[in-house]
């Protein structure tokens, strides 16, 4: 039986660091698949076809692949999914886009470079400017929407996302990164060998506060109470999903000052 790890790489959920962990273990046996356009999504059968066409691959990473897990004869797929507090994630998305080079074709990167955080958030929340900071994680896990430029999550998506999360053999939380890596190692090592989780934070944003509470206060101060409330409303499903994920994860509260989080 062939065992393949699938990293469902949710944008700005520590995915680059996780990819580095997989690369460290699997080396050239790591593969990646994306669609032709950044707004596309890939169905489970796309992932299965890639795995079968690349018999040497033991780990696959994709921003665009969506649950449920694919099915392919003689192959068992093992998922990696990490979630993050949705409002904190918005701050990280902005910092990432703002750091992109001037030649980047991304309109979001240009807006982030040329405008302040509040202006960027207003632009992102305008219909037609993508789902990057609007219930993104619910949209991703439910996989009902196929075009991320116009994707808009609905309550039934949250129900499906919660069910899919609960059905996973494990999942991680960025706010509990070290404990999440321990769970990942315990879950995957029986199938892929002893998985080292030594890592260095990648795609980091220096200077962010160490605790979630501090970062959320900073975001509210930068946006103002009105825009902050709107951002919460536009992420109500993701906030519900995150609370549900935190309960499922267990192990008590997140670390009050995680060095990994201070740069995410």
């Amino acid at each position: 039986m062939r065992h393949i790890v699938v990293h469902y790489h949710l944008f700005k959920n520590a995915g680059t660091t996780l990819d580095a962990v997989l690369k460290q273990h699997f080396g050239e046996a790591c593969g990646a698949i994306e669609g032709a356009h950044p707004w596309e999504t890939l169905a489970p059968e796309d992932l299965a076809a890639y795995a079968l066409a690349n018999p040497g691959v033991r780990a696959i990473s994709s921003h665009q692949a969506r649950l449920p897990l694919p099915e392919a004869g003689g192959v068992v797929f093992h998922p990696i999914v990490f979630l993050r507090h949705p409002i904190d994630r918005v701050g990280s998305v902005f910092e990432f886009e703002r750091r992109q080079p001037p030649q980047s074709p991304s309109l979001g990167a240009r807006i982030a470079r040329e405008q302040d955080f509040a202006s960027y958030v207003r632009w992102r929340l305008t219909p037609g400017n993508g789902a990057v900071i609007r219930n993104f994680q619910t949209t991703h896990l439910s996989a009902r929407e196929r075009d991320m430029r116009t994707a808009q999550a609905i309550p039934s998506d949250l129900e499906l996302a919660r069910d899919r999360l609960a059905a996973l053999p494990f999942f991680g939380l960025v706010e509990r990164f070290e404990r999440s890596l321990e769970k990942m190692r315990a879950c995957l090592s029986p199938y892929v060998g002893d998985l080292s989780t030594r890592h260095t934070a990648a795609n980091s944003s220096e200077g962010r506060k160490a605790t979630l509470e501090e970062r959320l206060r900073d975001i509210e101060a930068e946006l103002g109470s009105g825009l902050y409330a709107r951002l919460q409303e536009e992420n109500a499903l993701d906030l519900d999903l995150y609370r549900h994920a935190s309960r499922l994860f267990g192990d008590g509260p997140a670390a009050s000052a995680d060095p990994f989080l201070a740069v995410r």
Side-chain angles (χ1 to χ4, degrees), residues 9-77:
H9 185 161
L10 277 74
F11 179 48
K12 293 314 296 173
N13 282 15
T16 304
T17 302
L18 292 167
D19 280 348
V21 169
L22 295 178
K23 183 70 173 178
Q24 175 180 270
H25 183 75
F26 293 106
E28 296 305 311
C30 286
I33 179 173
E34 306 291 359
H37 304 288
W39 56 82
E40 293 180 10
T41 59
L42 301 177
E45 51 266 31
D46 297 317
L47 209 58
Y50 177 84
L52 293 175
N54 295 272
V57 163
R58 299 180 63 204
I60 302 171
S61 180
S62 177
H63 292 84
Q64 296 178 324
R66 297 294 190 263
L67 291 167
L69 281 172
E71 296 180 2
V75 180
V76 177
F77 294 93

Side-chain angles (χ1 to χ4, degrees), residues 248-259:
L248 288 178
F249 191 92
D251 292 341
S256 60
D258 188 331

Side-chain angles (χ1 to χ4, degrees):
M1 186 65 69
R2 182 181 173 199
H3 294 274
I4 298 179
V5 174
V6 180
H7 176 204
Y8 292 89
H9 185 161
L10 277 74
F11 179 48
K12 293 314 296 173
N13 282 15
T16 304
T17 302
L18 292 167
D19 280 348
V21 169
L22 295 178
K23 183 70 173 178
Q24 175 180 270
H25 183 75
F26 293 106
E28 296 305 311
C30 286
I33 179 173
E34 306 291 359
H37 304 288
W39 56 82
E40 293 180 10
T41 59
L42 301 177
E45 51 266 31
D46 297 317
L47 209 58
Y50 177 84
L52 293 175
N54 295 272
V57 163
R58 299 180 63 204
I60 302 171
S61 180
S62 177
H63 292 84
Q64 296 178 324
R66 297 294 190 263
L67 291 167
L69 281 172
E71 296 180 2
V75 180
V76 177
F77 294 93
H78 302 272
I80 294 175
V81 174
F82 271 60
L83 298 184
R84 182 177 192 168
H85 189 287
I87 306 303
D88 183 44
R89 181 181 165 277
V90 172
S92 187
V93 168
F94 171 73
E95 291 295 335
F96 176 83
E97 296 227 89
R98 192 167 61 89
R99 294 196 312 273
Q100 298 311 294
Q103 63 270 28
S104 170
S106 167
L107 178 58
R110 181 169 66 81
I111 298 293
R113 285 195 307 271
E114 295 177 355
Q115 301 190 31
D116 62 13
F117 183 38
S119 298
Y120 172 83
V121 168
R122 290 190 192 94
W123 174 77
R124 273 290 182 200
L125 294 181
T126 302
N129 288 332
V132 175
I133 66 169
R134 290 186 295 111
N135 289 320
F136 176 81
Q137 297 170 110
T138 300
T139 301
H140 196 293
L141 264 64
S142 65
R144 178 183 57 83
E145 293 274 20
R146 311 308 298 182
D147 187 329
M148 294 302 287
R149 292 173 297 182
T150 56
Q152 210 161 7
I154 58 178
S156 60
D157 294 334
L158 173 62
E159 294 178 24
L160 182 54
R162 286 169 60 129
D163 289 345
R164 284 185 171 160
L165 192 68
L168 293 173
F170 95 97
F171 65 88
L173 295 177
V174 175
E175 289 78 12
R176 305 183 194 184
F177 195 70
E178 299 301 333
R179 178 61 180 135
S180 296
L181 290 182
E182 292 174 9
K183 290 190 174 191
M184 184 176 82
R185 182 178 185 180
C187 185
L188 297 180
S189 290
Y191 306 102
V192 303
D194 189 19
L195 181 67
S196 170
T197 55
R198 287 182 290 109
H199 64 277
T200 301
N203 274 347
S204 58
S205 304
E206 296 292 344
R208 301 196 81 213
K209 298 292 178 58
T211 70
L212 176 62
E213 292 76 14
E214 288 176 307
R215 293 194 303 277
L216 293 179
R217 282 198 296 269
D218 283 352
I219 289 172
E220 183 172 13
E222 287 191 66
L223 297 183
S225 57
L227 183 56
Y228 187 77
R230 183 185 168 198
L231 184 62
Q232 289 180 307
E233 182 179 348
E234 294 277 5
N235 285 278
L237 301 181
D238 262 17
L239 285 164
D240 190 304
L241 179 65
Y242 180 78
R243 287 190 290 267
H244 178 69
S246 297
R247 289 191 294 270
L248 288 178
F249 191 92
D251 292 341
S256 60
D258 188 331
F260 180 84
L261 285 171
V263 296
R264 295 307 299 167

